[in-house]
């Protein structure tokens, strides 16, 4: 499975459409294993260290001691999430990370935030084809409660995403955005 996972991750890094049944099989298999891990994460009282270790198993990476997550948490895949140092993820966060989620150092992710990295072709006959596109959060980004980040957006360093915002375009550093769709409110 490691070779298949490595192939999948390289494939989506290139932004190629996912339509090969073998690619979907990798997503399904990895996703199922991580749903079992998130079920444990979300249903058992765990210490901060146990949470950190379990999220490390989900992502396949070692997390620093400053990492904090308050369950519940869900992920559609888990193995294409990259988390910096001193990151806090509040309860209810949902990550669809097949296309890649990159979270910079010192980020704060609010209640029920959604980060999504896959889109579908619009034509009905091609709608099962998914298009991966990574989401990147710079250093010190704050996603407020119920914020949604759509595929392909980059959030600049120290930007703030207002509660309930739907972000469909890149956000410059040190900028507060809010609304649906998100628009610039002011510099911070």
């Amino acid at each position: 499975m490691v070779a298949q996972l490595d192939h999948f991750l390289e494939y989506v890094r290139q932004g190629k459409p996912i339509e090969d049944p073998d690619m979907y099989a990798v997503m399904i298999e990895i996703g199922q294993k991580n749903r079992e891990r998130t079920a444990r994460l979300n249903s058992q009282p765990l210490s901060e260290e146990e949470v950190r270790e379990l999220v490390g198993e989900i992502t396949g990476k070692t997390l620093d001691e400053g990492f904090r997550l308050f369950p519940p948490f869900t992920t559609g895949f888990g193995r294409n999430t990259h988390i910096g140092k001193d990151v806090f993820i509040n309860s209810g966060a949902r990550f669809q990370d097949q296309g890649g989620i990159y979270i910079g150092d010192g980020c704060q992710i609010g209640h029920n935030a959604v980060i999504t990295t896959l889109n579908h072709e619009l034509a009905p006959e091609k709608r099962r084809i998914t298009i991966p596109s990574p989401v990147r959060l710079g250093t010190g980004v704050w996603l407020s409660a119920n914020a949604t980040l759509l595929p392909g957006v980059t959030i600049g360093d120290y930007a703030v995403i207002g509660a309930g915002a739907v972000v469909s375009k890149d956000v410059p550093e040190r900028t507060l955005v809010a609304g649906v769709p998100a628009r610039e409110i002011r510099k911070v």
Side-chain angles (χ1 to χ4, degrees):
M1 176 50 80
V2 172
Q4 291 174 318
L5 175 60
D6 290 344
H7 176 70
F8 175 84
L9 293 173
E10 180 56 34
Y11 187 88
V12 297
R13 277 187 201 105
Q14 297 173 29
K16 294 179 181 178
I18 302 169
E19 52 188 316
D20 181 342
D22 291 338
M23 293 293 188
Y24 283 112
V26 172
M27 289 193 321
I28 290 166
E29 184 175 341
I30 299 288
Q32 179 57 39
K33 288 178 183 175
N34 279 331
R35 280 187 292 282
E36 292 168 11
R37 290 178 177 115
T38 57
R40 179 172 169 234
L41 175 72
N42 297 331
S43 65
Q44 297 179 7
L46 302 171
S47 69
E48 286 182 4
E49 183 178 332
E50 290 170 318
V51 167
R52 188 171 45 254
E53 288 175 9
L54 195 50
V55 175
E57 289 177 25
I58 291 167
T59 63
K61 298 162 191 75
T62 301
L63 301 173
D64 80 297
E65 290 187 17
F67 174 79
R68 299 287 182 273
L69 180 139
F70 292 168
F73 169 77
T74 58
T75 181
F77 186 64
R79 288 302 172 103
N80 207 2
T81 296
H82 311 271
I83 300 172
K85 296 179 180 184
D86 296 318
V87 168
F88 172 69
I89 301 173
N90 217 328
S91 62
R94 301 177 71 94
F95 290 4
Q96 179 202 47
D97 72 315
Q98 289 89 336
I101 296 174
Y102 299 84
I103 301 171
D105 294 345
C107 287
Q108 299 178 53
I109 298 176
H111 288 94
N112 302 315
V114 174
I115 302 176
T116 179
T117 66
L118 291 178
N119 217 334
H120 293 271
E121 292 282 353
L122 289 177
E125 64 276 6
K126 294 184 176 185
R127 199 151 300 149
R128 290 188 180 265
I129 297 172
T130 54
I131 312 298
S133 192
V135 170
R136 300 177 188 281
L137 281 67
T139 299
V141 170
W142 173 20
L143 264 72
S144 298
N146 297 305
T148 299
L149 304 183
L150 298 181
V153 300
T154 295
I155 310 300
D157 294 346
Y158 305 104
V160 178
I161 310 304
V166 176
V167 180
S168 60
K169 296 180 181 174
D170 291 352
V171 175
E173 65 181 29
R174 297 185 180 271
T175 302
L176 167 64
V177 299
V180 179
R183 62 179 176 77
E184 184 174 330
I185 304 298
R186 65 182 172 93
K187 296 293 182 185
V188 295

